[in-house]
């Protein structure tokens, strides 16, 4: 089944589902030593001997077949890492699924996220007391070969039909929405109309960041060019009446660019565009705003960090970033770094990666200071990329702790949305849909009750979503 999917979808063959290398299989204990840590990938028999045993469950099922069970029943994927060192509190992760109907891709992502969770658990020091009694694991229904193949055949056929439908009707694309209001934001009003701007037939627009300079408004965006199959950074100028002009590309690199995080510091205007494909985080400085930018420094190298968003605090800068681990998506792992200055050396957070959760990890815009609180817009990718934006209040942040609470959510009706920003009276979002016929779209902000959990509870069955299963920028 995996070989069939990899052939049809042209997937790489170096993922988490490949057989272990012979050198790993040849490893053996010396003498009668009891291993310090055992990762029990079976989880359905007698617990192995070890000073510490880590047992991953996927939606309550031992073994990666639990990921498949979640896919067939359209459930959110939940990883629980049971740890004999803390038997009452398993480590948890909610991996994203880049394509829920391609088992090989989803399994690669979920297992890659699980690898990161295991490494995080092994790094954490939670005292010296160790309970050697493994947590009980109840029996679960398993899928046999016949049902697995039947499911694979059906999804492959459905995928092919859907792709033909997309080609016939035209794929969905991103657009941006904007409004001018110097008095109240969407979070204040609860509902507002946004004018819509598209990239025409040759491109789409996403990730809008507004900036006002010398009395003029500008919106920086990712402009994805279909002809080049990559994103560039473009600027949309606005006249005094708030009418948006055509986008003009201001930064183009050999690799994909998006998320033009633009900000001002020390009398200069800076930008940190997302460039995860380059393996670097690069800082640009405006030489002639807004059309000429110069690469000033590489803030980090050898990393796949996405949507880097800085948060100055007076004594230094925190950098929030979504991070890709091995073959995981770039939606479900959050890491935080600390630097003494904008171009200073990055120190990873002491508990990093700080979060494994498709609903709460990836940044969705600049931080918002509101009523004495700091809000962090995040992308909710639990049902698919670009579904919604949630606002999280930062409750605690230091070198070893990070706590956030979801307090609100943007709803865009039938459209996807994954970026929100506001600056100097210019408020922007992006929208994802096949067609948006009207020139204005109504967006709403809904506060969340304090006790309401973020994301979807374990076992929640996902309804059909208008965004899932269609092309999206990465």
């Amino acid at each position: 089944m995996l070989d069939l999917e990899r052939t049809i979808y042209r997937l790489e063959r170096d993922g988490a589902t490949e057989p272990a290398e012979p050198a790993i299989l040849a490893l053996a204990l010396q003498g009668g030593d009891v291993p310090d840590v055992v990762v029990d990938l079976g989880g359905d028999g007698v617990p192995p001997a070890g000073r510490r045993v880590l047992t991953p469950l996927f939606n309550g099922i031992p073994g990666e077949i639990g990921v498949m069970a979640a896919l067939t029943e359209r459930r959110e994927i939940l990883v629980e890492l049971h740890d004999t060192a803390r038997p009452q509190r398993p480590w948890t992760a909610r991996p994203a699924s880049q394509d829920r109907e391609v088992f090989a891709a989803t399994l690669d992502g979920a297992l890659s996220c699980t690898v990161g969770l295991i490494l995080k658990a092994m790094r954490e020091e939670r005292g010296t007391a160790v309970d050697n009694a493994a947590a009980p694991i109840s029996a679960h229904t398993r899928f046999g070969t016949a049902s697995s193949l039947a499911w694979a055949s059906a999804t492959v056929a459905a995928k092919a039909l859907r792709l033909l439908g997309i080609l016939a009707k035209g794929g969905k694309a991103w657009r941006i929405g904007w409004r001018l209001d110097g008095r109240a934001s969407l979070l204040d009003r609860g509902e507002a109309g946004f004018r819509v701007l598209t990239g025409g037939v040759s491109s789409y627009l996403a990730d809008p960041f507004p900036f006002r300079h010398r009395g003029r408004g500008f919106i920086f965006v990712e402009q994805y060019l279909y002809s080049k199959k990559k994103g560039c950074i473009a600027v949309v100028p606005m006249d005094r009446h708030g009418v948006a002009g055509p986008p003009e590309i201001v930064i183009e690199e050999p690799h994909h660019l998006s998320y033009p995080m633009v900000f001002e510091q020390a009398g200069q205007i800076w930008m940190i565009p997302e460039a995860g494909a380059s393996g670097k985080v690069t800082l640009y400085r405006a030489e002639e705003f807004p059309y000429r930018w110069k690469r000033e420094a590489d803030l980090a190298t050898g990393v796949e960090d996405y949507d880097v968003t800085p948060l100055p605090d007076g004594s230094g800068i925190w950098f929030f970033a979504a991070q890709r681990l091995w073959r995981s998506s770039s939606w479900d792992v959050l890491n935080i770094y600390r630097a003494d200055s904008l171009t200073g050396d990055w120190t990873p957070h002491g508990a990093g990666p700080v979060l494994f959760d498709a609903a709460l990890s990836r940044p969705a815009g600049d931080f918002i200071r509101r009523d004495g609180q700091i809000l962090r817009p995040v992308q909710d990718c639990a049902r698919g990329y670009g579904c919604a934006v949630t606002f999280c209040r930062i409750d605690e942040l230091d070198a070893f702790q990070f706590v956030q609470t979801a307090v609100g959510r943007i709803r865009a009706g039938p459209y996807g949305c994954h970026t929100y920003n506001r600056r100097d009276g210019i408020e922007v979002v992006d929208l994802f849909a096949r067609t948006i016929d009207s020139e204005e779209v109504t967006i709403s902000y809904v506060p969340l009750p304090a006790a309401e959990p973020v994301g979807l509870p374990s076992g929640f069955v996902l309804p059909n979503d208008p965004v899932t299963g269609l092309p999206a920028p990465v």
Side-chain angles (χ1 to χ4, degrees), residues 177-181 194-197 212 215-219 236-245 425-428:
W178 85 98
R179 61 184 290 268
L180 299 180
D181 189 336
F194 286 72
R195 285 177 280 182
V196 177
L197 179 67
R212 194 176 290 277
R216 289 194 62 192
F218 301 90
I219 304 174
V236 176
M238 307 179 72
D239 65 19
R240 294 182 178 179
H241 303 288
V243 178
I426 307 174
E427 196 165 30
V428 292

Side-chain angles (χ1 to χ4, degrees), residues 169-362:
K169 300 178 182 178
K172 291 188 178 183
W174 291 91
R175 298 152 171 83
I176 65 169
W178 85 98
R179 61 184 290 268
L180 299 180
D181 189 336
R183 295 174 297 175
S185 70
L186 174 65
L187 279 64
D188 299 317
R189 291 183 176 275
E191 185 175 280
F194 286 72
R195 285 177 280 182
V196 177
L197 179 67
T198 74
V201 297
S202 61
S203 66
Y204 66 65
L205 306 179
D207 294 346
F209 280 76
F211 199 90
R212 194 176 290 277
H213 182 65
R214 296 178 179 175
R216 289 194 62 192
F218 301 90
I219 304 174
F220 290 89
V221 298
E222 171 202 348
Q223 183 172 16
Y224 186 92
L225 304 175
Y226 297 128
S227 61
K228 297 185 178 182
K229 297 181 179 180
K230 69 176 183 179
C232 303
I233 303 303
V235 64
V236 176
M238 307 179 72
D239 65 19
R240 294 182 178 179
H241 303 288
V243 178
E248 182 174 338
I249 292 176
V250 295
I251 302 178
E252 180 176 359
E253 298 286 5
H255 47 268
H256 177 82
L257 295 174
S258 63
Y259 198 82
M261 175 68 222
V262 59
F263 58 99
E264 188 170 6
Q265 189 180 72
Q268 299 284 339
I269 302 175
W270 309 89
M271 185 192 298
I272 306 176
E274 182 271 298
S278 70
K280 298 184 293 185
V281 177
T282 302
L283 176 70
Y284 293 77
R285 180 175 57 83
E287 288 191 316
E288 294 181 12
F289 185 89
Y291 298 107
R292 285 187 56 193
W293 295 81
K294 177 184 177 182
R295 284 193 296 272
E296 192 74 15
D298 288 332
L299 303 182
T301 58
V303 295
E304 272 197 82
D305 283 344
Y306 294 79
D307 297 352
V308 173
T309 309
L311 176 62
D313 64 1
S315 61
I317 302 178
W318 298 101
F319 292 91
F320 286 66
Q323 188 174 57
R324 188 192 297 273
L325 299 177
W326 194 16
R327 296 294 296 278
S328 74
S329 78
S330 60
W331 319 338
D332 47 19
V333 180
L334 174 66
N335 216 341
I336 304 175
Y337 305 89
R338 177 72 176 178
D340 293 333
S341 64
L342 181 58
T343 57
D345 294 335
W346 281 17
T347 300
H349 193 275
V354 298
L355 200 60
F356 293 84
D357 195 326
L360 284 172
S361 294
R362 186 161 175 166

Side-chain angles (χ1 to χ4, degrees), residues 9 71 96-103 105-106 159 162 331 469:
Y9 304 123
L71 293 175
S97 172
Q98 298 186 64
D99 192 331
R100 297 185 65 88
E101 294 166 345
V102 182
F103 177 52
T106 297
K159 183 73 172 183
R162 180 157 41 257
W331 319 338

Side-chain angles (χ1 to χ4, degrees), residues 4 10 49 55 73 83 102 120 130 167 171 175 186 201 218 235 240 245 299 342 353 370 372 385 396 429 432 443:
L4 176 64
R10 300 179 182 179
T55 305
E73 299 174 4
D83 185 351
V102 182
K120 177 181 175 68
V130 175
L167 291 174
R175 298 152 171 83
L186 174 65
V201 297
F218 301 90
V235 64
R240 294 182 178 179
L299 303 182
L342 181 58
R370 173 182 167 87
Y385 187 74
E396 188 174 353
V429 296
F432 184 41
I443 309 294

Side-chain angles (χ1 to χ4, degrees), residues 47 53 55 84 131-136:
V53 180
T55 305
T84 55
D131 182 356
N132 288 314

